[in-house]
Amino acid sequence: MAFIYNEPSRTFNEYLLIPNLTTKDCIPENVSLKTPIVKYKKGQKSPLEINLPFASAIMQAVSDSNMAIALARSGGISFIYGSQSIEKQAEMVRKVKKYKAGFVASDSNLKPDDTLKKVLELKQKTGHSTIVITEDGSPNGRLIGLVTSRDYRVSRMPMDTKIKEFMTPFSSLIYSKEGISLKEANDMIWEHKLNVLPIIDNNQNLMYMVFRKDYDSHKENPNELLDKNKRLITGAGINSRDYKERVPALVDAGVDIVCIDSSDGYSEWQGETIKYVKHEFNDTVKVGAGNVVDKEGFLYLVEAGADFIKVGIGGGSICITREQKGIGRGQATSVIEVAKARDEYYEKTGIYVPICSDGGIVHDYHMTLALAMGANFIMLGRYFSRFDESPGRKLKVGGNFVKEYWGEGSNRARNWQRYDHGGESTKMEFEEGVDSYVPYAGKLKDNLDITVSKIKSTMCNCGVKNIEELHKKSRLTLVSATSIIEGGAHDVITKESDFSS
C-alpha cells in the first residue's frame, strides 16, 4: 500500500507570523538581508553570498542579461535561462560580466548612410535620444559620429536625408580611451558640460558610453553584487542533457554559479550532472540542484555534491504540473520539511547547505514567511517578469499595460529538457506551463525597494536583524479561512469602489 501523509501540505497563505519583542535598536536601517547561497563548513564563511535574498527564475520570460545586470546592481542574483543555444546563453553571461557600472554598451546604433527616418524610428522604438553612428551600424563598430535631437529639425529636413549630412562627426566629439575610470569619465563630463562621453579602443571602435544621468544611478546602488574583480555576479541555468558542453562554455564566459533547472530534481540524471561538474572542475564551479519537496530529495542531491537546493514543485503561477501529473506539494510544507532536513544535516556533518524557495509567492509577505520557515533565499518568476528589465513584451490589453509571461513547460518555451525523464525522446509530450500576461509594474529597482522595506519592517516586528535570527526566533501560526478574511479590508465600502455598479 502507498505511504500516505496524514497532514495536508500547506501554502504560505495559511500562515502568519507572531510578533516578538522589538528592541529599540531593531529598526529597518539596522536589518541586513545578506545571505549565503552555497554550502560552507561550520565556523567558515560561504564562498558566495548575495546582498538581498532574491534570485530571478531560470525562465525565458524572466532572466536574460538585462535582468541579470539590473538585479545584481540591486544586490540579488539572476540565473540566465538555459532553454536557448549554448552560444547565446554564454554570450548573455559574457555581457553581464563585461558590464561596468556607468559604462553602458550602446543599443541604439545606425550607419552614416541611414536616413533621418531611421533615426526617428529607432528613437520611437528605444526611447533613446542619443544614437551612435558606427561604420557598420554595430554596437562595437568604428565610431563615426553621434546624433542627438539637437542635430536635426523634423519640420525642415526631408525624411530621406542621410545621417552623415547632419550628425556630429567624430572629429568634433569629445571622447576617451578604454581604461579610463568611472570617476575620470564623470570628471570629463562635468568639465566639458557633456551629456554623454564615448569610450573607444585604439582602433576607434566604440566600447562603451558614459552618460551624465547615470552618475546618480551609480550612487543609488549600495548593494551592488560584485566579484573580487568588481564585475557583476551572475548565475546560469543548465540541464541534465547537454551539461558536458554547456557548463564549460558558461565557465569560459565567466559565470559565477550554475543551477540545474528541472521540475523534479530527485533523479539520477541530476545526481550524475552534479558529480560531473564537481569532478570536472575540481569543485571550483558551484552548482545548485532541484527541485525537491522533502527530506529524501534534499539528502540525495546534497550527497551528490550540490551547493544549494531549490525547493518547490508545481507552485509557480504559470505551472500546471500538479494539474497535469498530480505531483507536487504545498510550498510552505515543502520549505519547512527541507529546512528541517538541512538543519539536521548541518548538526550531523558540520556542512550547511542553503535552500532556495522556488514558487508559491503571491504577496510580498509570503517572501518573509518563506525566509522565516528556513529558506536562505527566494527564486521569483512572476514577480520579476512584470518589470521593464524582463524579456517579455510590454503590451496594452483592455486599456491596461501588461507584460508577457510564459512557463518553461508551455508550448511557447518548449523547454523539454526541464521535464526530461531520459530515454530517446527530445520533445514535450504535453504542457506543464501556460502562456499568460502579468500587470506591468515599471522599473525593477522601484518595486524591489518597496518589497525590501516590507520585509525589513516585518523582521523588526519579529525582533530580528538578519535572516539567521529570523530562522531561529520566528513564531508562526496557522490561520483559518475566516481569519484570512478578517486580515483584509472588510465590512466597509472602500473609496475606490464604484457605487454605480
Side-chain angles (χ1 to χ4, degrees), residues 138-267:
S138 70
N140 299 115
R142 190 166 181 267
L143 182 61
I144 303 299
L146 291 179
V147 170
T148 70
S149 55
R150 292 175 296 184
D151 291 315
Y152 57 85
R153 293 182 68 177
V154 176
S155 60
R156 296 191 178 185
M157 293 173 64
M159 288 293 106
D160 60 357
T161 304
K162 292 192 174 181
I163 289 173
K164 61 186 177 184
E165 296 178 27
F166 61 86
M167 71 181 184
T168 302
F170 179 77
S171 59
S172 300
L173 295 178
I174 295 173
Y175 58 88
S176 184
K177 293 290 185 72
E178 189 179 17
I180 189 173
S181 71
L182 183 60
K183 183 182 184 304
E184 291 168 335
N186 280 313
D187 287 344
M188 285 187 67
I189 286 173
W190 286 96
E191 180 185 347
H192 296 283
K193 299 180 180 179
L194 305 174
N195 287 322
V196 61
L197 178 71
I199 310 296
I200 61 172
D201 66 11
N202 291 329
N203 297 315
Q204 201 177 312
N205 295 315
L206 180 68
M207 302 305 293
Y208 302 104
M209 307 283 281
V210 179
F211 291 89
R212 175 187 289 262
K213 64 182 177 62
D214 286 340
Y215 177 76
D216 291 334
S217 172
H218 178 56
K219 298 294 185 183
E220 291 170 3
N221 292 280
N223 287 320
E224 208 163 36
L225 191 64
L226 304 172
D227 64 19
K228 62 183 179 181
N229 296 314
K230 295 193 174 181
R231 301 176 302 176
L232 294 177
I233 286 175
T234 188
I238 62 173
N239 61 65
S240 55
R241 280 275 182 166
D242 64 11
Y243 57 90
K244 291 182 180 179
E245 295 76 39
R246 190 174 294 270
V247 176
L250 294 172
V251 172
D252 184 63
V255 77
D256 296 281
I257 183 171
V258 296
C259 181
I260 307 170
D261 183 31
S262 174
S263 64
D264 174 17
Y266 190 11
S267 75

Side-chain angles (χ1 to χ4, degrees), residues 38-110:
V38 298
K39 66 186 179 185
Y40 59 93
K41 292 180 180 179
K42 191 172 186 177
Q44 296 181 358
K45 184 181 177 183
S46 173
L48 184 55
E49 297 179 323
I50 53 179
N51 296 324
L52 292 180
F54 304 114
S56 64
I58 310 170
M59 299 174 66
Q60 293 177 10
V62 182
S63 297
D64 63 358
S65 54
N66 290 328
M67 177 61 69
I69 289 169
L71 187 50
R73 295 202 70 196
S74 290
I77 189 169
S78 289
F79 286 87
I80 293 172
Y81 72 92
S83 51
Q84 58 178 322
S85 72
I86 295 172
E87 294 74 23
K88 286 182 179 178
Q89 189 186 22
E91 186 52 41
M92 284 190 181
V93 169
R94 208 168 274 115
K95 185 175 179 181
V96 179
K97 300 306 291 186
K98 284 182 178 179
Y99 177 88
K100 299 178 183 177
F103 291 83
V104 181
S106 176
D107 59 0
S108 293
N109 316 286
L110 291 172

